[in-house]
Amino acid sequence: MLKSLLTPLQLRGVTLANRVVMSPMSRYFCAGGVPTRDVADYYRRRADGGLGLIITEGVSVDHPRAVDNPGIPRLHGEDALAGWRYVVDSVHAAGCPIWPQLWHQGPMWNVEFAGAHATDTAALRPSGIWGPPDGVISVHPERRLQSLPETAPMREEEIADAIAAYAASARNAVAVGFDGIAVHGAHGYLIDSFLWQYTNRRADHWGGTPAARARFGAEVIRAIRAAVGESVPIALRISQFKMQDYRARLADTPAELAELLGPLADAGVDLFDCSQRFFDTPLFEGSPLNLAGWVKALTGTRTMTVGGIGLGKSGKPAAHIDRGQPSDNNLPSLVERFDRDEFDLVAVGRSLLNDPEWLRRAIEQRDFLPFDPANLERLA
Ligand SMILES: Cc1cc2nc3c(=O)[nH]c(=O)nc-3n(C[C@H](O)[C@H](O)[C@H](O)COP(=O)(O)O)c2cc1C
């Protein structure tokens, strides 16, 4: 059933053996920002499971206010780079490419968490705004209350520093052997807070029209391209929903989405990683296309879908693969969409946390492992 997903894909100088990708997932096990042997083993087990590509957990770019949790890894400093070199070598030894996900939390950065690690107290926000006071959120309401007070909008030199931080980390990534670069441009973090009209109210050339709101992300992509050269592929994750409000939308119409994404595609994005909570939720009324489907149709750029693959709507991995009987396993509808050319890659998150061998089980039509929530809390 998965046959069409088991075909290779070339992205610039990198060949993926198949279309199934490990989705970026923060795990907070990198004390002091340094990936350990346990972290390497955790990624190696997924590589051994036969994936086409691993995208790492979000990794801090080289900027003091990029991430607020000291368990998040960084991509600067000899200790962290040596840790990553070991991770990359382990994953490559299993024949799997691996890309880091470059992360700057922007408005979501919280000095309360960063504590003694913080050299400054204000999060980087395009217009000083965190998000709406009444959004649907999963972060603690108290955290929202702490975050709501407005801060100073980003100054021109802060914008330039942030862009340079992405480029510096991308250069380090290639130096330790990563095969490509994934950029977190979704979920309300720094790049997304420029894309999103609610948090970007700037009247200068970084805000206003959708194309102007895309300028910051486009400059990040250009700076990364200049740092890594032509053979290294660059992916950009985007989403409608935000951590500040699950109901938020980047764009209400296909035309608006096209205007927003055009400058990013032109800047050299090779793959849009289109984040949805469930891949089978249509993006706009009147069409079954999901975010990845629309982005591919509008930009002509390759896309990846994600969200709930191998999971029932309950959010738990389905116990049984579909063998022709009705079940809540959604692989048949995923493959149908893939075969209609709606997207080029599929990313899997929680199902792979639950079971490093998830892809093999799916290919061999073996029953999936029962979902163990403890696997979300440990490096199983
Ligand atoms: C524990 C956990 C950590 C996550 N961390 C990140 C992250 O660092 N960056 C990111 O872009 N998405 C992150 N996500 C979202 C996943 O990449 C994925 O999009 C989401 O879980 C939906 O896919 P799934 O239903 O297959 O799990 C995280 C998800 C989980 C469950």
Side-chain angles (χ1 to χ4, degrees), residues 120-142:
D120 203 337
T121 54
L124 285 192
R125 301 170 173 178
S127 303
I129 295 163
W130 178 83
D134 55 354
V136 173
I137 52 172
S138 61
V139 292
H140 201 278
E142 201 166 310

Side-chain angles (χ1 to χ4, degrees), residues 22-28 56-59 101 103 183-187 189 237 241 273-278 306-311 315 347-353 376:
M22 181 174 179
S23 203
M25 280 175 288
S26 291
R27 305 307 313 277
Y28 308 104
T56 70
E57 61 209 281
V59 184
Q101 188 191 44
W103 195 17
V183 181
H184 201 335
H187 306 169
Y189 297 109
R237 174 164 271 210
F241 76 88
D273 168 4
C274 299
S275 172
Q276 288 188 267
R277 307 211 33 223
F278 293 100
V306 67
I309 296 172
L311 307 177
V348 180
R350 287 164 290 172
S351 294
L352 277 170
L353 290 190
L376 299 178

Side-chain angles (χ1 to χ4, degrees), residues 104-107 124 126 154 162 166 188-194 216:
H104 192 304
Q105 294 176 327
L124 285 192
M154 283 172 79
Y166 284 95
Y189 297 109
L190 185 60
I191 293 174
D192 201 20
S193 68
F194 276 88
F216 176 77

